[in-house]
Amino acid sequence: MQTHNYFPSAIHRAEEPDWLSVLQLGEGDWPTTNGSPLVQTENLVNKENFFNFRKHLETIASSILEVDGYSVENYEIKVSSIWAQKLISSGQHLLHVHGSSVFSGLYILKTTENCAYPIFGDPRPGKQMGDLIAPPHNDIKASTPHIHFNNLNAGSLFIFNSWLPHQFVSGAPESEVEFLHFVIIASEK
C-alpha cells in the first residue's frame, strides 16, 4: 500500500547567536514584574536596533513561502509585531495560535538550566476529536501529539506557520528564559 503524507507542519530552526549583541533590551524596555512569573514588553517592532533583524526575518519568511509554492512577488512580507517575554520559575505561556498572519516565531535571548521551553501541538482539530492514546515512545510518529524543544540555546531562532499551536511549559524553580516572540504578515501589493 502506498502512503501519502500531506499537509506538513514545518518548524524551522537555526542557531543564530550573532544577533544577541544587537538585540539588547534595556531595563526601560521591561515593565515592572510585581512578582509575576510572566513579563511581557510592549511592541518592539520599531526599535531602531531591531531593523536589520526584522529584514532578516522577512527574507527568511519570503524564502520559506517561495519553497512552499506561494507567489511571494504578489505580497509584501513584513514583521508586524515583536515583543519580548520573560518566564520566571513557574511562568508559562498557554497553547495559542496567531491569526491574520503567515508566520510566528521565537528568538531565544537568555536561558538558564531547566528553564521553560516551547512545545508545538498537532494543528489538526479532526485528529484531536478522534485520537487514540499512544504509548510513550521517543520517536516522532503520526501519533505524536506534541513536539518538545527542550534544548534551547541563547540565539535559537524558530519560525513556523502562525496556525501551528505553540506554548511554553513551566521551568524549574529559579529558572528563567527570555525570548522575542514575533508575527510576520503578508499583505497584497
Side-chain angles (χ1 to χ4, degrees), residues 90-106:
S90 63
Q92 58 184 314
H93 196 204
L94 300 178
L95 193 66
H96 65 285
V97 297
H98 297 275
S100 303
S101 57
V102 290
F103 289 116
S104 295
L106 308 165

Side-chain angles (χ1 to χ4, degrees), residues 22-44:
V22 177
L23 302 173
Q24 294 295 314
L25 296 174
E27 286 301 316
D29 291 317
W30 292 102
T32 307
T33 65
N34 295 329
S36 173
L38 168 62
V39 182
Q40 180 172 311
T41 67
E42 298 293 325
N43 190 354
L44 303 168

Side-chain angles (χ1 to χ4, degrees), residues 125-146:
K127 182 176 187 298
Q128 295 169 12
M129 292 185 315
D131 210 2
L132 304 174
I133 296 173
H137 51 77
N138 291 328
D139 299 327
I140 297 173
K141 300 181 179 198
S143 62
T144 303
H146 298 97

Side-chain angles (χ1 to χ4, degrees), residues 162-173:
S162 286
W163 45 257
L164 189 61
H166 54 284
Q167 66 183 353
F168 267 77
V169 295
S170 303

Side-chain angles (χ1 to χ4, degrees), residues 6 23 26 39 52 54 58-59 65 103 111 118 137 149 152 169:
Y6 298 117
L23 302 173
V39 182
N52 288 333
R54 280 194 343 253
E58 292 164 1
T59 299
L65 288 168
F103 289 116
T111 64
H137 51 77
F149 281 92
L152 295 181
V169 295

